[in-house]
Amino acid sequence: MAWLITGGAGFIGSNLVHRILRELPEQDIVVLDALTYAGNLANLEQARDNPRFRFVRGDITDRDLLDSLFAEVSIDGVFHLAAESHVDRSILDAGAFIKTNVEGTHALLEAARKAWVEQSIKGRFLHVSTDEVFGSLGPADPPFSETTNYAPNSPYSASKAASDHLVRACHHTHGMDTVTTNCSNNFGPWQFPEKMIPVMICNAIEGKKLPVYGDGMNVRDWLYVEDHCEALLTAFLKGRGGETYCIGGDNEVPNIELVHALCDLIDEMVAPLANGPRRGLVTYVKDRPGHDRRYAIDFSKIERELGWRPRHDFRGALRQTVQWYLDHEGWLASCRSGEYREYYDLNYAGRC
Ligand code: NAD
Ligand code: TDX
């Protein structure tokens, strides 16, 4: 029996793959990933020769491919991470978000449901979602929890909300064993350099401007990706069917404070810039349309019921993340040039 990990060549997916291979020595996994601009097989390099790991390049909207995959491999667990994930891109063009996040989730649910009925497999479907489905908090509002009403504000969060509802409906109507997690902002190794933390780290290292949206006072709750992966495994292995779990880092920070903290860290870790401390690189730019003001998560349900809470210290994890980007210049350069797409042909052609 294998677990299927969709989106396993992306940021969180690749961290999850490495954790499973490291910590669950009996577990086989199959990664299904379309390798969009955000998917990079270099993220999975360490897994490539592991006999318990297999990579399939394919799209979750391709129902024929999904049916043949479920027929060929006995899959009793799905970790569904494949998605279009960047809010700014969804504002420019929401089409791919509807296709992958909504239609893709529907296709995957249907393929898993059909296979599990036909093969009499008791499978579990873990749907990885976001806190953004709950909308935006005011400064005095209590944090989001599992009982917060849905109020998505961006095309990205609307598409994720739709996918959450499809998962809920599949459990309610067809009795599928599903678990949904809603998590706050992640950071750590392998994050594509378009999200805030890697953008700021990479630009600050190179002495480039640091584009802060609006007044810089939007608040996000940050979670180290290793803590998120641990929460996903906990929810999959111990969560109650049909339930949702909110996952957060207990690290609410206004963006400008975080950018300043990164500047100070990088000033300490690499050569100083000739023109002064890196805080001087901060440049306020036009705000994101519809920019959610504040996210915060009450994760007491998963803590109480399943015993998970974040374990990494925020500042220590930020330092490790900066060091990771310093150590992976080649990876970064290939992401920025788009070259990594050739990696597939060089290393995987004929093997997937
Ligand atoms: P990512 O953009 O880094 O990776 C997404 C992966 O999905 C890529 O490898 C991409 O190639 C693949 N993919 C995209 N469309 C596909 C398709 N149609 N078929 C198959 N594969 C496809 O995303 P991430 O940051 O790792 O996020 C993973 C999941 O976690 C997403 O569902 C996201 O909504 C959710 N999430 C992310 C965060 C965060 O802070 N990054 C927080 C909460 C929830
Ligand atoms: O250059 C930037 N400057 C800036 O000020 C970027 C890229 C972002 N920002 C701001 C916008 C947000 O307030 O920083 C904050 C974080 O932005 P992102 O990294 O784009 O994350 P966010 O929009 O909060 O969404 C993320 O967290 C929830 C992920 O991209 C989603 O996939 C996840 O669901």
Side-chain angles (χ1 to χ4, degrees):
M1 285 287 177
W3 289 345
L4 176 66
I5 303 182
T6 71
F11 161 48
I12 301 170
S14 55
N15 279 283
L16 181 66
V17 166
H18 296 311
R19 173 174 276 263
I20 294 172
L21 292 176
R22 209 169 54 229
E23 295 195 350
L24 300 174
E26 304 296 316
Q27 188 59 52
D28 286 351
I29 52 183
V30 179
V31 165
L32 174 65
D33 198 296
L35 298 182
T36 66
Y37 78 95
N40 185 347
L41 275 173
N43 301 6
L44 295 171
E45 175 67 31
Q46 297 147 258
R48 188 153 64 105
D49 296 321
N50 191 316
R52 294 186 287 120
F53 166 79
R54 181 176 163 199
F55 179 80
V56 176
R57 185 180 194 170
D59 199 304
I60 56 164
T61 62
D62 182 346
R63 184 59 200 276
D64 292 341
L65 171 86
L66 293 175
D67 286 342
S68 56
L69 187 59
F70 276 95
E72 191 193 325
V73 186
S74 290
I75 292 166
D76 63 352
V78 174
F79 289 74
H80 177 34
L81 291 97
E84 286 294 335
S85 69
H86 191 43
V87 173
D88 292 330
R89 286 179 189 255
S90 79
I91 295 167
L92 291 172
D93 182 2
F97 290 73
I98 305 305
K99 185 95 190 142
T100 288
N101 301 358
V102 185
E103 292 177 30
T105 301
H106 170 65
L108 188 63
L109 283 166
E110 284 302 289
R113 192 166 74 79
K114 173 172 163 280
W116 289 341
V117 169
E118 282 174 6
Q119 299 168 20
S120 305
I121 289 176
K122 275 174 155 315
R124 165 160 278 196
F125 190 106
L126 179 85
H127 176 57
V128 180
S129 190
T130 171
D131 57 358
E132 299 197 18
V133 297
F134 301 122
S136 185
L137 294 168
D141 288 336
F144 300 133
S145 75
E146 292 76 7
T147 55
T148 305
N149 289 335
Y150 274 51
N153 287 322
S154 72
Y156 163 70
S157 53
S159 69
K160 290 297 287 188
S163 68
D164 292 10
H165 294 325
L166 289 170
V167 172
R168 179 191 153 89
C170 201
H171 170 78
H172 188 81
T173 305
H174 300 295
M176 187 190 259
D177 181 3
T178 62
V179 174
T180 294
T181 55
N182 296 91
C183 184
S184 61
N185 289 56
N186 282 218
F187 69 100
W190 312 118
Q191 187 166 29
F192 192 81
E194 66 182 354
K195 305 281 166 66
M196 203 263 255
I197 286 191
V199 164
M200 298 302 168
I201 293 176
C202 299
N203 286 13
I205 290 171
E206 293 169 5
K208 292 183 181 160
K209 288 184 175 168
L210 307 177
V212 173
Y213 297 168
D215 64 0
M217 291 307 291
N218 298 68
V219 172
R220 294 292 181 267
D221 167 44
W222 293 97
L223 179 71
Y224 191 50
V225 65
E226 280 291 339
D227 282 327
H228 187 195
C229 291
E230 184 175 273
L232 295 179
L233 279 169
T234 303
F236 182 86
L237 295 170
K238 304 203 303 200
R240 288 186 288 133
E243 290 293 315
T244 67
Y245 295 93
C246 281
I247 300 170
D250 212 4
N251 281 314
E252 272 191 69
V253 197
N255 291 337
I256 187 63
E257 259 182 43
L258 178 52
V259 173
H260 282 160
L262 286 169
C263 288
D264 297 348
L265 249 182
I266 295 167
D267 279 339
E268 225 181 278
M269 292 170 73
V270 303
L273 296 174
N275 47 352
R278 285 176 166 79
R279 284 185 181 215
L281 299 171
V282 167
T283 310
Y284 289 94
V285 297
K286 193 163 167 282
D287 208 357
R288 172 187 280 175
H291 196 175
D292 285 340
R293 194 65 174 165
R294 173 178 166 237
Y295 303 146
I297 285 269
D298 169 359
F299 58 82
S300 56
K301 177 177 172 184
I302 189 170
E303 182 171 27
R304 195 176 55 248
E305 292 188 7
L306 311 182
W308 175 89
R309 60 170 294 114
R311 287 194 290 154
H312 286 83
D313 154 68
F314 185 42
R315 286 197 65 82
L318 275 184
R319 181 181 285 273
Q320 264 177 275
T321 303
V322 171
Q323 191 59 53
W324 189 89
Y325 280 90
L326 285 169
D327 295 340
H328 288 77
E329 266 179 33
W331 177 85
L332 194 61
S334 74
C335 279
R336 284 169 160 176
S337 67
E339 249 172 45
Y340 59 86
R341 279 170 219 168
E342 289 163 22
Y343 185 95
Y344 174 80
D345 302 320
L346 288 175
N347 293 287
Y348 279 79
R351 301 183 30 161
C352 306

